[in-house]
Amino acid sequence: QVQLVESGGGLVQAGGSLRLSCAASGRTYTTYALGWFRQAPGREREFVSGVTWSGSNTYYADSVRGRFTISGDNAKNTVYLQMNSLKPEDTAVYYCAASSVDLRTGYNYWGQGTQVTVSS
């Protein structure tokens, strides 16, 4: 089992920034990648960004590329999502997830989620 705990969500005005953190514990040695997903009311869950545990590969959705940056601190078993130039459409619950398979698939461990609200 891998446990994931997110933090850093909140309310911010459009154009502002937030940094989300996700602390992983448990059997982290089974983790191939960590990712961030988001889900807004009435919308499907979206894969926002991911990073391999080694840090060698990253993924960004087109909707956030150039505005969001994912990074990791292996010593702290923590992954971060720096979100800049936030837009109201970024409003969602953001979930951290862990995959033991691949950067793009196989996410089977999930955090509880943190709310991000961007006001216009």
Side-chain angles (χ1 to χ4, degrees), residues 87-105:
K87 305 174 181 180
E89 51 264 43
D90 294 318
T91 295
V93 178
Y94 283 70
Y95 298 92
C96 179
S99 172
S100 58
V101 176
D102 188 67
L103 177 60
R104 298 288 300 273
T105 63

Side-chain angles (χ1 to χ4, degrees), residues 31-83:
T31 300
Y32 181 85
L34 290 171
W36 289 96
F37 293 75
R38 68 185 181 186
Q39 188 163 23
R43 302 189 66 177
E44 292 188 357
R45 185 173 62 194
E46 178 185 14
F47 183 26
V48 175
S49 182
V51 61
T52 54
W53 191 256
S54 66
S56 59
N57 290 304
T58 58
Y59 166 82
Y60 295 98
D62 289 343
S63 56
V64 305
R65 188 174 292 112
R67 300 188 297 122
F68 290 11
T69 303
I70 193 168
S71 62
D73 185 336
N74 284 0
K76 296 182 179 180
N77 285 347
T78 299
V79 65
Y80 305 97
L81 186 67
Q82 178 66 44
M83 305 185 295

